[in-house]
Amino acid sequence: MLLSLLRQVHNQLIMLFANTLIISYQIVISCLAEKLLVVTVATKETDGFRRFMRSAKHFNYTVEVLGAGEEWKGGDYMSAPGGGQKVRLLKAALEQMKTEDLIILFIDSYDVVFASGPKELLKKFQQAKHKVVFSSESLIWPDRHLEDKHPYVKEGNRFLGSGGFIGYLPNIKKMVADWTGEDNTSDQLFFTRTYIDSDKRKSINITLDTKCRLFQNLHGALDEVVLKFEEGRVRARNVLYDTLPVIIHGNGPTKLQINYLGNYIPNTWTFETGCTVYIIESKPTPFVTVFFERLLTLKYPKNRLNLFIYNQVNKCYRMKRITSTHSCAKYILLKFNLMVFDIGVDMCRNNEDCDYLFSLDIEVVIKNEDILKILIEYNLPIVAPMITRIGRLWSNFWGALSADGYYARSEDYVDIVQERRVGVWNVPYVSNVYLVKASLLRSELQEFDLFTSKILDPDMAFCHNVRRKGIFMYVTNQHTFGRILSTENYQTTHLHNDLWQIFENPVDWQERYIHENYTLIMKNKLIETPCPDVYWFPLFSDVACNHIVEEMENFGEWSGGANTDKRIQGGYENVPTIDIHMNQINYEKEWQKFLVEYVAPITEKMYPGYYTKCSTPLNFVVKYKPDEQPLLVPHHDASTFTINIALNRKDVDYQGGGCRFLRYNCSIQAPRKGWALMHPGRLTHYHEGLPTTAGVRYIAVSFVDP
C-alpha cells in the first residue's frame, strides 16, 4: 500500500515538473517575441510590399523598413547577382542598435509572406541551437564553382539562401562587419563565402534551415509545396520534409507562384463581384492539377470569378501549379457534407453582385477557353455545354426520363451526342457542367434545399426541383467544349497516380506526359541521327520525366548493382546497373502500352521493313551516381533495339554522363531531358555509359524484342 502511494506521488511530481518546464519555455518564448525585430529593405511601396506588411500586421510582427524613398541601385538580381545595397543598409542600421539580446529577422519583402507568428518562428529558431540561421536552397547561386566547398548535410537543402536569416544582434553585426562591396554586388555571394569559411561559420555560429522549418524558398522547390487548409487559416506545407514553414519566399523566377500562394496565406478570403464558379470533387479524380491550370486559361476577367470548391475526397489535391496575378480563388470548403451543394448555390443567391453560377465537376476537361462567354450569350436560365467521354455515348445530359424519373434514351440522343444534329436542346436533365442565372436562384429557385432528397442523388434532385418549377434546361452542341474523364478505375495507391491513366484516359495522359513536339516528329523532321543507325527524338514531357523519377525514388528499392539478380530469368545479370524495374511498381502493362503507341511508329519509320509489337521482358529506370555507379562498361544489349530516355538535365541535375558507341567512336554527351535514343541492341552497337561526375543521372531503358 505504501509503495503504491509513493509511486503515485512520484508520478505527480514528474507531471508537475514537466508542466513547469513547458510553462517556463512558453514564458521564455513570449519574452523573446518582445525582443524580435523584423528588418527589411523596400525602397518603394509595391503591391508585394503591401502584401508583406499585411501578413506581418496579421501576426503582430514589429517591422523596421530600410531604404524607403532611396533609389534602388542593387541591380536586377533575379537574372544576375546583385542586392548589395541591402547589406549596406542593414550594416548601417545595426550600428545604431545596442540591445545585445535583440533578435533580428532580416528578410526580403516584395516576394515574401508570413504564414505564422513570432512565437512559432522563435521556437523553431531556438530548436536550431545556433546563433544565426539562414534559409536554404536546393540550387546553388550565383557561383556553381563553390558547390564542393559547402558543408554536407545529413538531410535537406545544402545551399544557403540570402533572402532570409534570423539571429542575435551581436552575431549578425559580426557577420556583416566585413562588408565593403558596392550596392550592385552580390549579397548572396557575400553570405555564401562567409558560410563556407569554416572559421567564420563557427565563430559566428551559423547554420542552415535545411528542412524549411522557418523559411521556404520556392525556387527549385515548387513541387515540394502544397497548401494546407486549416479552419480559418491556410499554411504552406513542404511535403518533402513534412514541415510547415513560417516564412514563404518567392525567390528568383517564382513570383507568380508567391502571388498565387498569397491569395490564401495566411488567412482565407472574402467574395468580390462577379460570376461564381462552383467546383465539385466527390471522388478521387485524375489530372486534378491540370484541371485548375485550365481554369486560368478561360477568357473571362479573373477578378470577376469566385471559386467555391467542394472536396469530399479524403486526400487533399495539390493546387501548387495554379498561378495568377490576381485573385481567382475566393473561397474553398473542404468538408464531407451533402448540404454543401446547396451552400454553394446559396452563396451566389445571397451575393447581389453574383450574376451567374457556373457549376463544374472536377472530372470535366474544358478545352474551349470561351466557354463562359458562349454560355452567357445564350441568355438562357440554365444551359449546359455538351461533353462526352471519348469513344462512348455517355454524356452530361439525358434526352428523356423513364416513368420513375430516371434515365431514358430519347430517339435523337445518339444523333445529338455524335453531332449529327447540332443545336440547342431542351432536355430534362443536365449534370457535371452548366450555367445558371443568379436571378433565377433569387426568384423561382429560392429554396435552400434544391439538391437535397431522401431518395435522389444531388444532381437528380436539383433537376427534379427545376422541372417541378416549370423551368427549362438546355444543352448545346454547337461548339466543342471538352470531354469528361473516366474515373471508375482510378487508383490512389501511388505517388503520381495519373501515370497509370494511359488506358482509362489516353488523350489526357498524352497531353500530360508526351512531349509537346512528338506529333511534329515526322512532319518537321525532328528526328536526329547523332550516330549511325542511332535515332534521337522528343518523347516525354518534363512532367513525365519528373513523375517517373519521383515515383521510383518514392518506391526506393534500388538494386545493388550486383551480377546476382533474382528479378530476372536465370538470376544473373552480366552488365548490372543500379535500377528499379517497371514491374516492381506495377507499371509493366502501362509501359508496354506506351511503347506500342509512341515508340513502335517511330521504329517502323526509321527501320523500314521492321515491324514490332514491342514485346520486352525488361523495362527499368537506372540511377547513376559518382559514389555508387558512375558509368557502365562496354556491352551489347539483349534486344533487337533499345530505347534510352533521359529523365533529367545535364549541367542542372548532374555532370558528365552520356553514351558512346565504340564501333563508330561516336558519343552523345548531352542527352536532352525527355528525348529518347533508339539504337540496335546487338552486334553493331557495342556501347558504354560515360561517367557521371556529379549529381544524379536518371534514364529509362527498354530492351525491345529480345
Side-chain angles (χ1 to χ4, degrees):
M1 185 72 177
L2 179 60
L3 181 60
S4 175
L5 182 61
L6 288 173
R7 284 176 177 169
Q8 292 180 16
V9 172
H10 178 261
N11 291 338
Q12 289 175 357
L13 288 172
I14 289 175
M15 290 295 296
L16 179 62
F17 179 69
N19 289 334
T20 302
L21 285 178
I22 293 171
I23 294 170
S24 299
Y25 185 71
Q26 291 173 342
I27 292 173
V28 169
I29 295 297
S30 297
C31 292
L32 287 175
E34 297 176 1
K35 298 178 180 179
L36 172 67
L37 177 64
V38 179
V39 180
T40 191
V41 172
T43 55
K44 62 180 180 180
E45 283 198 17
T46 64
D47 288 339
F49 174 75
R50 286 187 281 270
R51 175 184 60 196
F52 167 81
M53 292 301 292
R54 285 195 299 271
S55 70
K57 183 178 179 181
H58 179 82
F59 291 113
N60 295 318
Y61 284 98
T62 301
V63 181
E64 181 173 332
V65 181
L66 308 179
E70 184 175 306
E71 181 184 357
W72 175 252
K73 300 178 181 179
D76 179 15
Y77 52 92
M78 273 185 62
S79 55
Q85 186 172 353
K86 296 190 297 181
V87 188
R88 172 178 64 80
L89 291 169
L90 174 64
K91 181 179 178 181
L94 294 178
E95 290 173 354
Q96 307 301 316
M97 301 178 188
K98 307 301 181 184
T99 306
E100 293 293 302
D101 57 353
L102 186 66
I103 298 174
I104 301 294
L105 170 64
F106 188 64
I107 192 74
D108 288 355
S109 59
Y110 293 155
D111 50 8
V112 168
V113 292
F114 287 103
S116 189
K119 289 186 178 180
E120 181 177 340
L121 176 73
L122 290 167
K123 178 181 178 181
K124 291 178 176 178
F125 171 54
Q126 293 292 309
Q127 290 171 344
K129 298 180 180 179
H130 282 71
K131 299 296 184 181
V132 177
V133 179
F134 271 86
S135 70
S136 68
E137 298 192 43
S138 61
L139 306 174
I140 186 169
W141 166 266
D143 188 350
R144 291 184 179 177
H145 296 94
L146 299 177
E147 178 177 348
D148 292 339
K149 296 184 179 181
H150 279 73
Y152 285 92
V153 298
K154 292 182 179 180
E155 185 181 5
N157 298 327
R158 183 181 167 199
F159 306 114
L160 175 144
S162 66
F165 57 84
I166 184 172
Y168 288 97
L169 177 63
N171 302 77
I172 295 181
K173 276 186 176 181
K174 184 177 180 180
M175 182 171 65
V176 301
D178 295 336
W179 172 261
T180 57
E182 300 295 327
D183 281 0
N184 62 351
T185 54
S186 174
D187 63 326
Q188 173 78 22
L189 193 56
F190 169 74
F191 289 122
T192 295
R193 286 175 171 163
T194 301
Y195 174 67
I196 63 177
D197 185 320
S198 59
D199 292 335
K200 289 183 178 179
R201 186 171 67 249
K202 291 176 183 177
S203 65
I204 300 171
N205 198 5
I206 304 174
T207 191
L208 301 186
D209 177 33
T210 59
K211 295 184 183 179
C212 305
R213 300 181 74 243
L214 293 90
F215 305 94
Q216 176 66 66
N217 289 314
L218 295 179
H219 186 34
L222 291 177
D223 287 341
E224 299 170 14
V225 181
V226 300
L227 289 174
K228 174 181 171 61
F229 295 93
E230 300 172 348
E231 189 170 341
R233 185 178 176 187
V234 184
R235 294 292 297 267
R237 175 173 172 249
N238 186 303
V239 295
L240 182 61
Y241 305 118
D242 195 22
T243 55
L244 296 174
V246 177
I247 297 161
I248 315 300
H249 182 197
N251 58 320
T254 62
K255 307 308 175 192
L256 293 180
Q257 285 79 7
I258 192 64
N259 289 346
Y260 157 66
L261 293 174
N263 290 332
Y264 304 91
I265 301 170
N267 56 350
T268 53
W269 50 94
T270 58
F271 276 93
E272 295 175 358
T273 62
C275 169
T276 296
V277 180
Y278 175 28
I279 301 166
I280 302 170
E281 181 182 12
S282 58
K283 56 187 175 183
T285 305
F287 306 107
V288 172
T289 301
V290 182
F291 171 89
F292 283 104
E293 290 171 351
R294 287 196 180 104
L295 283 183
L296 297 178
T297 68
L298 296 182
K299 292 181 179 178
Y300 197 90
K302 301 300 183 297
N303 63 341
R304 301 280 297 173
L305 285 173
N306 302 290
L307 303 187
F308 174 86
I309 302 172
Y310 165 57
N311 169 31
Q312 73 176 45
V313 180
N314 191 25
K315 181 179 180 181
C316 185
Y317 44 77
R318 297 185 180 184
M319 295 168 60
K320 59 182 179 300
R321 294 195 180 275
I322 308 173
T323 59
S324 178
T325 55
H326 40 257
S327 294
C328 167
K330 298 300 179 188
Y331 188 84
I332 295 180
L333 181 64
L334 298 170
K335 291 183 179 179
F336 185 87
N337 184 350
L338 290 178
M339 286 182 64
V340 76
F341 295 85
D342 293 312
I343 294 172
V345 170
D346 205 47
M347 285 184 171
C348 177
R349 181 187 289 123
N350 294 326
N351 183 347
E352 64 182 11
D353 294 313
C354 178
D355 297 319
Y356 296 92
L357 174 75
F358 185 48
S359 180
L360 181 64
D361 286 4
I362 207 153
E363 58 259 45
V364 173
V365 178
I366 295 176
K367 300 296 291 183
N368 191 325
E369 298 175 347
D370 295 312
I371 186 171
L372 279 171
K373 178 176 178 291
I374 292 169
L375 296 180
I376 289 172
E377 287 177 351
Y378 280 114
N379 195 29
L380 295 170
I382 301 174
V383 59
M386 189 190 75
I387 56 171
T388 63
R389 283 186 180 153
I390 294 176
R392 297 176 60 181
L393 289 174
W394 193 97
S395 74
N396 65 322
F397 76 95
W398 295 350
L401 294 176
S402 64
D404 53 358
Y406 287 87
Y407 170 80
R409 178 172 292 184
S410 61
E411 63 178 22
D412 60 356
Y413 177 81
V414 174
D415 286 341
I416 294 173
V417 169
Q418 296 182 345
E419 298 180 359
R420 291 196 291 266
R421 300 185 187 184
V422 176
V424 182
W425 315 93
N426 187 335
V427 295
Y429 170 91
V430 294
S431 66
N432 296 102
V433 51
Y434 50 85
L435 186 78
V436 183
K437 281 189 175 182
S439 58
L440 189 68
L441 301 176
R442 300 186 188 104
S443 55
E444 287 95 333
L445 300 176
Q446 295 183 21
E447 295 87 351
F448 176 79
D449 56 349
L450 289 175
F451 290 85
T452 304
S453 171
K454 294 181 179 179
I455 58 173
L456 298 175
D457 291 335
D459 55 341
M460 293 178 64
F462 172 75
C463 293
H464 170 78
N465 286 323
V466 169
R467 294 193 304 270
R468 186 169 55 86
K469 293 285 187 178
I471 299 169
F472 291 167
M473 291 172 280
Y474 298 87
V475 67
T476 174
N477 64 349
Q478 290 182 319
H479 303 264
T480 299
F481 294 100
R483 58 184 177 270
I484 193 159
L485 294 170
S486 173
T487 61
E488 284 85 355
N489 299 314
Y490 187 58
Q491 302 297 318
T492 58
T493 56
H494 308 283
L495 179 65
H496 294 295
N497 300 292
D498 294 348
L499 278 170
W500 276 256
Q501 288 293 298
I502 190 170
F503 290 101
E504 296 294 328
N505 294 290
V507 174
D508 298 87
W509 191 93
Q510 176 174 320
E511 290 180 355
R512 182 73 161 154
Y513 291 125
I514 295 300
H515 197 287
E516 61 181 356
N517 292 331
Y518 175 83
T519 56
L520 304 176
I521 284 176
M522 300 304 178
K523 178 181 178 182
N524 294 350
K525 298 181 180 179
L526 292 181
I527 296 180
E528 300 179 16
T529 310
C531 299
D533 275 331
V534 177
Y535 299 104
W536 201 9
F537 53 92
L539 188 55
F540 271 155
S541 67
D542 270 15
V543 173
C545 296
N546 296 340
H547 283 191
I548 290 170
V549 170
E550 291 164 9
E551 197 68 47
M552 292 302 181
E553 287 290 2
N554 182 62
F555 180 74
E557 295 181 18
W558 295 94
S559 67
N563 293 104
T564 302
D565 193 342
K566 296 180 180 180
R567 298 172 302 169
I568 61 177
Q569 188 176 3
Y572 184 84
E573 173 59 65
N574 187 41
V575 186
T577 55
I578 294 178
D579 56 49
I580 294 175
H581 291 183
M582 293 297 179
N583 59 16
Q584 291 181 262
I585 63 167
N586 298 317
Y587 201 63
E588 194 74 359
K589 290 189 302 181
E590 288 77 7
W591 189 262
Q592 206 267 341
K593 172 74 170 175
F594 152 73
L595 292 175
V596 169
E597 293 291 331
Y598 300 99
V599 173
I602 306 297
T603 305
E604 293 165 8
K605 290 286 185 181
M606 307 317 295
Y607 300 120
Y610 182 80
Y611 300 96
T612 177
K613 294 183 179 179
C614 290
S615 62
T616 169
L618 206 55
N619 305 298
F620 52 100
V621 171
V622 181
K623 176 164 67 172
Y624 291 109
K625 290 181 67 175
D627 57 348
E628 292 182 359
Q629 182 182 14
L631 52 81
L632 199 57
V633 299
H635 64 284
H636 284 115
D637 292 338
S639 66
T640 300
F641 69 94
T642 296
I643 297 297
N644 179 325
I645 308 170
L647 298 179
N648 57 351
R649 288 189 174 88
K650 183 178 179 179
D651 297 328
V652 176
D653 305 304
Y654 65 90
Q655 300 289 331
C659 182
R660 176 172 174 259
F661 295 92
L662 278 68
R663 178 184 178 93
Y664 308 103
N665 192 24
C666 181
S667 299
I668 299 99
Q669 296 184 345
R672 301 165 190 159
K673 184 177 181 181
W675 280 55
L677 282 175
M678 183 170 67
H679 62 83
R682 297 189 183 89
L683 191 61
T684 57
H685 284 65
Y686 193 62
H687 60 285
E688 63 181 344
L690 300 175
T692 297
T693 57
V696 184
R697 179 187 175 212
Y698 297 92
I699 60 173
V701 180
S702 288
F703 294 158
V704 184
D705 295 345

